[in-house]
């Protein structure tokens, strides 16, 4: 049984761990833990040394509840000083009660939530689901380590942190259990590596990374934008009232702190479909409110400038590199909205509703960053944009934007959009 050592710390931790092998250990459910209602703490000589890993705390807490003294006794059988992990052997008896009722509350919410937006999987998420099931299949059929399993494990271990659904957590545990017990030494070794990696998923750093993935990366995905288009006329107030009814007041936790919310979501082990509906609703709600606020904040002059600038750069969409073709509309929507004030500042330019010089400089910077094809001459870009190869805007395309802050912003935006 893996333990994360939040409490057992200090310079002599390694020596203390070495002495722990063979010692008696007591497991007791931490009923008042605000993060995880199934948290199970471990004690040696009344000193708390850590918590049972998330993948095992559900069963350990249930067995604690079943026991007469409401605790479990075991022995430390192995240590991992590098990753601060103990393995504990605990004898239990009896059959755990059917815990299906834990999912019933989510299923009821899902039935009531009849106007729910549901975001499709991104390519990485679909790949993760396939890998998870394929690894289970390989292990069930007695597969030994080969190049295919090794590649699958490498990708699976890099992506598995993004799925915190009940099914994914249970499957991870099954995968690790079968791998550790395998007669194939390479498979067993990989199983131990995964076991260590999974115990780290409850760390603050992992929670922050997961929050970044959900609330910063997913909104940039094609899957999200397709959902947002389908539900663009959703009433935000109605959507919020539905999200507020999600079990365990998790919507309120989300409003207080995104990182803490993700942590509690992780420990709640929410079924995959209900979790996807909930996350989809949260992202759509933020999109609807942010989009409305953005539209309200733009003057009519800025809105007209943005619309005309988008039509202008649409003339060279076919010049984007193949990798960027699908994202051109989204990229320019972000750029023109974020720089609406500069785009609407026509300065001394005549007979135009937007700042062509600045837009051409944006084009030049995107050309430098590899968004547009390098084999198209800059003269051709200005000819396509202006309808004439004699345009004096060629130097703007050649120069790109001239301030570091804008260049840095564009590089960051491109990294976000490119995953």
């Amino acid at each position: 049984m893996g333990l994360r050592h939040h409490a057992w710390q200090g310079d002599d931790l390694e020596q203390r761990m070495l002495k722990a092998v063979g010692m008696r250990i007591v497991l007791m459910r931490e009923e008042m833990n605000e993060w995880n209602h199934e948290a199970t703490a471990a004690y040696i000589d009344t000193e708390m040394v850590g918590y049972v890993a998330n993948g095992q705390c559900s069963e350990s807490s249930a067995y604690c509840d079943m026991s007469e003294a409401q605790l479990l006794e075991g022995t430390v059988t192995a240590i991992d000083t590098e990753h601060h992990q103990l393995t504990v052997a605990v004898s239990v008896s009896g059959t755990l009660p059917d815990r299906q009722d834990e999912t019933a509350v989510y299923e009821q919410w899902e039935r009531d939530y009849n106007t729910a937006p549901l975001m499709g999987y991104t390519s990485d998420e679909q790949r993760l689901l396939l890998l998870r099931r394929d690894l289970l299949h390989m292990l069930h059929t007695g597969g030994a380590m080969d190049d295919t399993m090794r590649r699958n494990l490498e990708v699976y271990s890099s992506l598995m942190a993004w799925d915190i659904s009940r099914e994914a957590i249970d499957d991870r545990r099954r995968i690790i259990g079968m791998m550790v017990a395998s007669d194939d030494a390479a498979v067993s070794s990989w199983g131990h590596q995964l076991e260590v990696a999974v115990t780290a998923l409850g760390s603050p750093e992992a929670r922050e990374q997961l929050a970044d993935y959900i609330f910063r990366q997913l909104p940039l995905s094609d899957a999200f934008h397709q959902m947002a288009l389908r539900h663009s006329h959703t009433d935000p107030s109605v959507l919020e009232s539905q999200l507020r009814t999600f079990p365990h007041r998790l919507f309120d936790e989300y409003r207080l702190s995104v990182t803490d919310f993700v942590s509690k979501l992780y420990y709640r082990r929410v079924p995959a479909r209900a979790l996807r509906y909930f996350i989809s609703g949260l992202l759509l709600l933020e999109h609807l409110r942010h989009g409305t606020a953005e539209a309200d904040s733009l003057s009519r002059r800025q809105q007209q400038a943005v619309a005309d600038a988008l039509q202008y750069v649409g003339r060279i969409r076919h010049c984007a590199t193949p990798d960027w073709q699908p994202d051109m509309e989204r990229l320019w929507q972000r750029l023109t909205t974020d720089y609406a004030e500069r785009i609407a500042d026509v300065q001394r330019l005549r007979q135009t509703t937007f700042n062509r010089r600045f837009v051409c400089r944006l084009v030049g910077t995107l050309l430098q960053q590899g968004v547009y094809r390098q084999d198209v001459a800059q003269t051709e870009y200005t000819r396509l944009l202006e309808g004439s190869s004699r345009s004096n805007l060629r130097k703007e395309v050649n120069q790109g934007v001239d301030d570091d802050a804008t260049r840095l912003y564009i590089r960051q935006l491109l990294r976000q959009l490119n995953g």
Side-chain angles (χ1 to χ4, degrees):
M1 189 171 289
L3 302 172
R4 283 192 57 76
H5 290 258
H6 297 294
W8 228 19
Q9 299 179 10
D11 296 335
D12 61 342
L13 176 59
E14 186 170 335
Q15 288 72 27
R16 296 174 74 186
M17 290 184 68
L18 289 170
K19 294 178 181 178
V21 176
M23 293 184 69
R24 175 178 181 266
I25 195 164
V26 172
L27 307 180
M28 185 172 69
R29 183 171 182 170
E30 197 171 85
E31 298 173 352
M32 300 304 168
N33 188 297
E34 68 167 316
W35 304 105
N36 180 9
H37 69 296
E38 295 179 328
T40 306
Y43 297 83
I44 294 179
D45 291 335
T46 72
E47 180 184 18
M48 189 176 77
V49 299
Y51 290 95
V52 174
N54 186 48
Q56 297 162 313
C57 65
S58 179
E59 286 190 13
S60 64
S61 64
Y63 276 117
C64 282
D65 291 344
M66 286 175 57
S67 67
E68 186 176 354
Q70 293 192 309
L71 56 78
L72 300 175
E73 179 183 2
T75 304
V76 178
T77 59
I79 61 163
D80 181 343
T81 55
E82 180 182 358
H83 300 99
H84 296 176
Q85 185 179 33
L86 299 181
T87 301
V88 177
V90 179
S91 295
V92 294
S93 60
T95 302
L96 290 177
D98 184 8
R99 311 192 82 179
Q100 185 63 29
D101 59 322
E102 292 185 2
T103 65
V105 64
Y106 297 108
E107 291 172 352
Q108 183 60 52
W109 176 83
E110 192 179 322
R111 286 192 293 269
D112 295 340
Y113 190 35
N114 52 20
T115 59
L118 182 62
M119 177 173 55
Y121 281 138
T122 67
S123 57
D124 276 346
E125 289 172 329
Q126 189 67 36
R127 192 179 184 193
L128 174 59
L129 178 61
L130 174 62
L131 287 170
R132 193 177 96 205
R133 293 176 177 175
D134 196 24
L135 283 169
L136 280 170
H137 172 73
M138 289 179 179
L139 294 166
H140 274 302
T141 54
M145 181 63 70
D146 57 16
D147 289 343
T148 299
M149 182 180 284
R150 186 174 289 104
R151 284 195 303 271
N152 285 359
L153 284 166
E154 288 172 353
V155 179
Y156 176 71
S157 61
S158 70
L159 297 175
M160 66 180 182
W162 306 141
D163 192 345
I164 57 172
S165 67
R166 174 185 295 271
E167 294 87 338
I169 292 171
D170 289 344
D171 282 352
R172 278 202 296 264
R173 183 179 177 187
R174 282 194 286 270
I175 289 169
I176 290 170
M178 285 190 286
M179 293 185 72
V180 169
S182 174
D183 294 332
D184 187 308
V187 173
S188 181
S189 176
W190 252 104
H192 286 292
Q193 291 179 49
L194 279 180
E195 190 172 27
V196 170
V198 166
T199 61
L201 296 183
S203 68
E205 297 79 13
R207 292 198 299 267
E208 289 177 4
Q209 291 174 5
L210 181 55
D212 181 80
Y213 172 73
I214 294 174
F215 295 105
R216 295 194 61 176
Q217 296 183 43
L218 276 182
L220 295 172
S221 68
D222 288 335
F224 171 77
H225 281 274
Q226 290 170 11
M227 178 194 70
L229 285 173
R230 290 196 305 270
H231 296 272
S232 59
H233 299 297
T234 299
D235 185 337
S237 61
V238 172
L239 179 58
E240 179 176 336
S241 67
Q242 293 173 325
L243 293 171
R244 283 189 179 279
T245 64
F246 195 77
H248 307 299
R249 301 180 64 85
L250 283 170
F251 180 81
D252 294 334
E253 297 291 348
Y254 163 74
R255 303 302 286 179
L256 289 172
S257 167
V258 169
T259 303
D260 290 349
F261 158 76
V262 167
S263 178
K264 293 184 179 181
L265 198 62
Y266 172 69
Y267 288 117
R268 281 293 176 183
R269 292 164 46 87
V270 181
R273 189 170 174 84
L275 176 63
R276 194 66 175 185
Y277 270 125
F278 188 47
I279 294 298
S280 299
L282 292 178
L283 296 181
L284 179 63
L285 181 63
E286 292 301 326
H287 171 77
L288 293 172
R289 286 181 168 165
H290 181 66
T292 301
E294 274 186 347
D296 290 345
S297 67
L298 296 181
S299 67
R300 286 188 178 181
R301 179 175 59 86
Q302 289 173 334
Q303 291 179 34
Q304 183 64 54
V306 165
D308 291 345
L310 288 173
Q311 186 177 12
Y312 183 71
V313 296
R315 300 171 186 173
I316 58 170
R317 176 168 182 161
H318 66 282
C319 296
T321 59
D323 288 344
W324 280 103
Q325 281 283 355
D327 292 311
M328 292 309 295
E329 182 177 349
R330 190 150 44 109
L331 171 58
W332 277 105
Q333 284 281 1
R334 285 285 299 274
L335 284 174
T336 53
T337 299
D338 291 344
Y339 288 102
E341 185 174 349
R342 291 180 67 175
I343 289 173
D345 182 8
V346 296
Q347 300 174 355
R348 293 186 298 273
L349 297 174
R350 297 179 180 179
Q351 297 179 336
T352 182
T353 58
F354 65 97
N355 189 333
R356 281 190 168 102
R357 294 189 185 281
F358 178 64
V359 171
C360 284
R361 289 189 175 189
L362 291 175
V363 170
T365 302
L366 296 179
L367 180 60
Q368 294 165 8
Q369 294 293 321
V371 174
Y372 287 110
R373 288 164 45 197
Q374 303 286 342
D375 60 337
V376 178
Q378 289 167 353
T379 301
E380 179 65 7
Y381 278 111
T382 52
R383 186 190 70 79
L384 290 167
L385 290 168
E386 290 289 296
S388 170
S389 59
R390 301 180 62 183
S391 170
N392 61 359
L393 294 174
R394 187 168 58 255
K395 65 179 181 180
E396 312 295 343
V397 175
N398 180 58
Q399 177 179 332
V401 293
D402 55 0
D403 64 282
D404 292 336
T406 303
R407 282 196 294 267
L408 177 61
Y409 169 81
I410 291 174
R411 286 197 297 270
Q412 292 173 337
L413 177 60
L414 294 180
R415 281 198 296 270
Q416 290 176 356
L417 291 174
N418 210 23

